Amino acid sequence: MAAAGGLRSAGWRLWRGRAVRCQQYPPLRALQASAALRRASDEHRKEPLGSSTQQHFDSPPDGHQPEQKPQGPHPSYTGQGGQESEDYESEEQLQHRILTAALEFVPEHGWTAEAIAEGAKTLGLSVAAAGLFHSDGSELILHFVSECNTKLSELLRKEQKLVQLGEAEKKPLDEFLRDAVEARLRMLIPYIEKWPQALSVLLLPRNIPSSLNLLTSMIDDIWHYAGDQSTDFNWYTRRAVLTGIYNTTELVMMQDSSPGFEDTWRFLENRVADAMTMSNTASQVQSTGEAVVQGLMGAAVTIKNLAGLNQRR
Amino acid sequence: WTLDNWSQNPVIDRILRVDHAGEFGANRIYAGQMAVLGRSSVGPLIQQMWNQEKDHLKKFNELMVAYRVRPTVLLPFWNVAGFVLGAGSALLGKKGAMACTVAVEESISEHYNNQIRTLIEEDPEKYKELLQVIKQFRDDEQEHHDIGLEHDAEAAPAYSVLKTAIQLGCKVAIFLSERI
């Protein structure tokens, strides 16, 4: 019993130490502020504590904890101790699992309720679980895109780490962009037959905010890891250009029947090269423009001098 | 609400975006004033204040990159509007330029104070560095404001009208830059 008390207070101390870190947990899924999502994050943070028994002891002190995050009340930690076990899964997590399982069946059934039903079956759930989702497969597709983006982020982060450790060469910009877009598009290959269907679903008015969000955050991620440090209008220009490259390459990929999609990658290479040329041209135009303006200013000053207007006030 | 819903920290996002836009605008205002009054007796003074704004802008550029904040899409607009405001107020004379400075710096000081309050309410520990930066900048802007007053800003033509109009413009600029 003393040991239990000791464990509890140790957990309490560790928990309070984590209190400040709590708020730094990025609310990327802030769209759905379910209590269980927080529980999932709580479990995530408690992992370093080790054994699962410690997790149980952490629940009671949790109930006394003042509100840490602006995500609503703690419905589960009402101090009723053991009634909610840590194994309880939220609806969000369940949906996540079903959709992940359903992806396996997409090449056969497309982005449909059938695929979701099959996925639910493999998890040992009833096919009625497909009723949790829209019949057009929107959630499945958005889930897939989100997973791909996460994978891409991970990949880019690992690459960046290697470069920082000096174990890899820093790639020139055009190569970096090309590789990043290619890596992301390659994730579509297993589902390429059904992807046009997915694209049309993503363009449904209902889905546009989410799909646009996913697209823009992915492009922003790529530029961030490419080392973009612009804080002027270039920020927008660069992202707009890369979005254009990504979208057009994706469309080309849908129509590509060459071995290993080599036509697509060649198209991508050309588009990125175009963008580089365009930016070079743009900066040349700017320099020329600046030189012209300076010439005009010089002429104006000369005229002012000649006319005697250039005097100290 | 902001244009990008993926931002990791909406509070910092807004704060940095609007502050960056503000310093950028202030830079352009002083540039406009220098273009007209550069060779007058207040030239060196305006230049000195401009240099401090340049430092501010540099700091915010760094913070923007560190926190991955999107700059406001209205930057090209503030570019022109700031210059026009600076040049326009300078055309009203030295006192007009000083009046503009007073109006703008007063708005900015108040705005920074609001942000300091917000950050302290949120989490003073987490935002310690940012708070330090904003406090320092607020003091700088307050200094500019006082310099403007010292140089007869209040004697400018239509001082109160000018001041009200400029401060209204600043409020609109702040509102828009936070969001767009």
Side-chain angles (χ1 to χ4, degrees), chain B residues 16 40 44 67 82 94 114 117 134 166 179-180:
Chain B
L16 285 181
S40 70
Y67 285 94
K94 293 180 221 169
N114 288 339
R117 261 190 289 274
I134 297 185
I166 293 177
R179 288 155 183 80
I180 309 181

Side-chain angles (χ1 to χ4, degrees), chain B residues 34-50:
Chain B
M34 276 304 281
V36 176
L37 290 172
R39 258 159 303 120
S40 70
S41 57
V42 292
L45 185 63
I46 299 180
Q47 180 67 49
Q48 184 197 339
M49 293 197 283
W50 189 13

Side-chain angles (χ1 to χ4, degrees), chain A residues 189-234:
Chain A
I189 293 181
Y191 309 91
I192 195 87
E193 308 250 316
K194 309 287 181 185
W195 192 244
Q197 177 200 354
L199 281 180
S200 62
V201 169
L202 284 175
L203 285 173
L204 288 174
R206 175 165 41 88
N207 292 328
I208 286 192
S210 314
S211 66
L212 207 52
N213 215 345
L214 287 167
L215 177 64
T216 46
S217 64
M218 186 240 316
I219 299 286
D220 180 57
D221 245 0
I222 297 181
W223 267 117
H224 168 74
Y225 287 107
D228 176 38
Q229 302 208 327
S230 48
T231 51
D232 52 3
F233 204 73
N234 266 326

Side-chain angles (χ1 to χ4, degrees), chain A residues 53-181:
Chain A
T53 35
Q54 268 200 315
Q55 287 184 344
H56 285 290
F57 281 120
D58 274 335
S59 323
D62 210 23
H64 309 305
Q65 197 67 26
E67 188 55 68
Q68 295 290 347
K69 290 187 278 197
Q71 276 187 1
H74 293 263
S76 48
Y77 299 115
T78 48
Q80 279 157 15
Q83 281 193 359
E84 310 260 7
S85 91
E86 295 292 347
D87 300 323
Y88 177 76
E89 192 185 36
S90 72
E91 184 172 322
E92 158 110 12
Q93 284 177 300
L94 180 65
Q95 289 185 350
H96 195 274
R97 280 204 308 143
I98 296 177
L99 292 177
T100 310
L103 285 178
E104 194 189 322
F105 300 94
V106 165
E108 193 189 327
H109 296 281
W111 306 91
T112 58
E114 278 90 51
I116 302 179
E118 293 292 324
K121 270 207 302 210
T122 60
L123 292 178
L125 300 163
S126 127
V127 296
L132 285 169
F133 308 99
H134 275 110
S135 55
D136 58 4
S138 298
E139 287 98 336
L140 183 55
I141 301 171
L142 288 170
H143 169 84
F144 173 68
V145 172
S146 168
E147 292 289 301
C148 287
N149 290 354
T150 311
K151 266 192 268 180
L152 180 67
S153 273
E154 257 318 298
L155 185 71
L156 292 176
R157 193 179 336 185
K158 285 202 188 100
E159 267 181 34
Q160 190 188 51
K161 208 160 252 155
L162 287 178
V163 171
Q164 279 173 351
L165 293 173
E167 289 172 23
E169 283 291 310
K170 189 163 153 70
K171 291 187 205 166
L173 183 61
D174 57 344
E175 193 185 322
F176 183 93
L177 295 177
R178 227 188 312 138
D179 288 347
V181 173

Side-chain angles (χ1 to χ4, degrees), chain A residues 174 178 249 264-274:
Chain A
D174 57 344
R178 227 188 312 138
T249 312
T264 306
W265 311 136
R266 204 170 320 125
F267 176 86
L268 174 60
E269 195 179 330
N270 290 336
R271 294 294 74 72
V272 171
D274 282 348

Side-chain angles (χ1 to χ4, degrees), chain A residues 23 26 221 231 236 310 313, chain B residues 20 39 61 68 70-71 123:
Chain A
Q23 281 190 316
D221 245 0
T231 51
Y236 291 91
N310 212 15
R313 270 193 254 169
Chain B
H20 174 258
R39 258 159 303 120
N61 278 335
R68 288 180 66 174
R70 169 183 66 86
D123 189 342

Side-chain angles (χ1 to χ4, degrees), chain A residues 297 304 309-313, chain B residues 28-43 46 50 82-94 96-97:
Chain A
M297 295 284 277
K304 272 174 78 177
L309 289 171
N310 212 15
Q311 305 191 357
R312 241 194 134 78
R313 270 193 254 169
Chain B
R28 296 302 295 157
I29 292 178
Y30 283 121
Q33 290 187 343
M34 276 304 281
V36 176
L37 290 172
R39 258 159 303 120
S40 70
S41 57
V42 292
I46 299 180
W50 189 13
F83 192 88
V84 165
L85 175 61
S89 63
L91 284 173
L92 291 174
K94 293 180 221 169

Side-chain angles (χ1 to χ4, degrees), chain B residues 109-179:
Chain B
S109 297
E110 192 189 314
H111 163 70
Y112 277 152
N113 277 330
N114 288 339
Q115 289 191 337
I116 291 171
R117 261 190 289 274
T118 308
L119 288 175
I120 288 182
E121 274 167 17
E122 280 276 331
D123 189 342
E125 267 313 301
K126 180 175 166 199
Y127 299 125
K128 203 160 75 153
E129 194 220 332
L130 188 57
L131 270 170
Q132 231 172 331
V133 168
I134 297 185
K135 280 184 190 163
Q136 172 64 45
F137 289 3
R138 185 231 14 223
D139 294 339
D140 290 344
E141 307 296 1
Q142 192 63 39
E143 198 189 312
H144 292 178
H145 170 263
D146 296 339
I147 291 177
L149 282 177
E150 274 169 38
H151 284 79
D152 303 325
E154 283 159 333
Y159 174 69
S160 49
V161 175
L162 198 60
K163 183 161 174 240
T164 315
I166 293 177
Q167 292 195 323
L168 182 60
C170 286
K171 282 205 175 70
V172 171
I174 289 172
F175 180 83
L176 289 175
S177 300
E178 274 181 345
R179 288 155 183 80

